[in-house]
Amino acid sequence: MSKLLLVPSFIGSKLRGLTYCPIKCSRSISGDWKFYKLQNIVEKLTQGWSPKCINQASSDPNEWAVIKTSSIQHGKFVEEENKILPTHLEPRIQHEIKVGDILITRAGPRSRVGVCCEVKKIRPRLLNCDKVYLIRLKESVNLSFFMLKINSAEFINKIEEIKTGGNDSGVNLTQNRLLDLNIELPEIIEQIQIVQEIESRLSVADKLAETIQTNLLKSESLRQSILKQAFEGKLLTEAELEACRKEADWEPAEKLLERIKGDRKINK
């Protein structure tokens, strides 16, 4: 299970304090949570620009390009999903994406509208497109906590309810409806503490997943080694082979193969 799927369900269950975490926490957080309209915690919300671009991705940080909506995945920004801005067009630099920006898809197929990610790393000269909102938060909100909250099952359902459009192949998320949504937040210090608690547990989960993966690779390597020795006749020592030959049900490999072939013919 990915981090994004694990954590938001934890936050989205209206957790008031980490005392209620399934794992016993090292400290308790029990401050008051309050509801805020998104418009009251958002410093800036804009949508980008979608000129006619060259249908080719840019990997050159010195070249201007416009992102595609496919660059926004749940909790992940994929900067390679872009189109080159023609050189005869002047870039609208007010739409350049920066580290720490939040991107939310606002138009397209129902399943792709309301998808949200934080930009943690980005090359220069990438512009936001018209079908994506760019959000910057006020200092009273911790970015990591906000991302956990907005990607929770609870908040995803809220966004689903305000989408407009009669056809699932083309729906919209209007700016007014999005900014009118309520989000429940504790004080900034508690937001930071909650994020720290979650990240510490995810670190343990990551190490566990790494150990499991390593052991799976070792298991597969051992399996291949056993098969190799078996095919080379090196799996048993001569003494063990001699003991097998003395067993009442022992038969040479040639006879065993003939019997298997005969059984297959009968079953047909």
Side-chain angles (χ1 to χ4, degrees):
M1 184 179 293
S2 69
K3 292 181 184 179
L4 192 60
L5 292 176
L6 175 68
V7 175
S9 59
F10 171 54
I11 290 290
S13 60
K14 293 186 178 179
L15 178 70
R16 291 299 188 277
L18 289 177
T19 310
Y20 300 101
C21 175
I23 305 170
K24 187 176 180 181
C25 296
S26 58
R27 62 173 177 266
S28 174
I29 299 172
S30 57
D32 292 332
W33 291 48
K34 297 178 181 178
F35 282 99
Y36 300 87
K37 295 285 187 184
L38 276 188
Q39 62 187 358
N40 294 328
I41 63 170
V42 168
E43 185 71 39
K44 174 184 178 181
L45 187 151
T46 60
Q47 62 191 63
W49 174 49
S50 292
K52 186 171 179 57
C53 292
I54 300 168
N55 193 20
Q56 180 181 337
S58 168
S59 57
D60 182 358
N62 296 311
E63 183 176 49
W64 285 97
V66 179
I67 65 166
K68 300 191 291 185
T69 57
S70 53
S71 66
I72 294 103
Q73 302 296 324
H74 286 289
K76 182 181 179 182
F77 177 66
V78 185
E79 66 175 28
E80 294 79 12
E81 289 291 308
N82 67 66
K83 291 182 179 181
I84 298 172
L85 183 71
T87 54
H88 70 272
L89 291 178
E90 188 70 22
R92 298 185 182 180
I93 59 174
Q94 69 268 31
H95 296 305
E96 185 175 7
I97 303 168
K98 305 289 187 182
V99 170
D101 287 343
I102 298 166
L103 303 176
I104 304 178
T105 54
R106 69 167 194 87
R110 180 174 294 277
S111 62
R112 287 289 304 153
V113 172
V115 179
C116 179
C117 74
E118 172 193 350
V119 179
K120 296 183 177 181
K121 178 176 72 71
I122 189 170
R123 47 154 278 194
R125 296 178 175 83
L126 275 187
L127 302 172
N128 188 26
C129 71
D130 177 66
K131 291 187 176 181
V132 174
Y133 289 133
L134 185 151
I135 292 177
R136 290 175 186 162
L137 299 172
K138 293 182 178 179
E139 293 183 356
S140 58
V141 184
N142 176 270
L143 176 58
S144 296
F145 184 87
F146 180 82
M147 291 307 302
L148 293 173
K149 190 74 173 174
I150 201 170
N151 277 299
S152 68
E154 175 192 18
F155 210 86
I156 288 172
N157 288 337
K158 286 184 178 182
I159 290 177
E160 186 64 34
E161 291 172 0
I162 63 170
K163 293 177 184 177
T164 59
N167 192 327
D168 282 352
S169 63
V171 301
N172 294 283
L173 181 62
T174 66
Q175 190 172 136
N176 288 341
R177 288 190 171 204
L178 178 62
L179 290 175
D180 196 49
L181 285 177
N182 286 314
I183 186 168
E184 193 177 15
L185 301 171
E187 294 296 325
I188 183 68
I189 188 168
E190 294 187 19
Q191 295 173 33
I192 294 169
Q193 288 176 327
I194 289 172
V195 169
Q196 289 173 344
E197 290 286 354
I198 290 170
E199 288 179 346
S200 69
R201 277 147 185 77
L202 288 177
S203 177
V204 173
D206 283 344
K207 291 184 185 300
L208 180 59
E210 185 179 342
T211 300
I212 291 170
Q213 184 62 29
T214 300
N215 288 335
L216 286 173
L217 292 173
K218 287 181 179 178
S219 175
E220 179 60 24
S221 177
L222 178 60
R223 176 176 177 274
Q224 294 298 326
S225 176
I226 290 171
L227 288 173
K228 183 176 183 293
Q229 291 184 58
F231 286 126
E232 292 176 351
K234 298 177 182 178
L235 193 59
L236 300 176
T237 65
E238 284 298 325
E240 290 170 331
L241 285 170
E242 188 60 33
C244 288
R245 293 188 186 103
K246 292 178 181 180
E247 295 292 332
D249 59 350
W250 180 84
E251 59 184 341
E254 295 83 0
K255 288 187 176 181
L256 177 61
L257 289 172
E258 288 177 7
R259 182 161 58 80
I260 292 172
K261 289 178 181 178
D263 290 342
R264 286 179 177 175
K265 288 179 181 179
I266 293 171
N267 292 331
K268 284 181 179 180

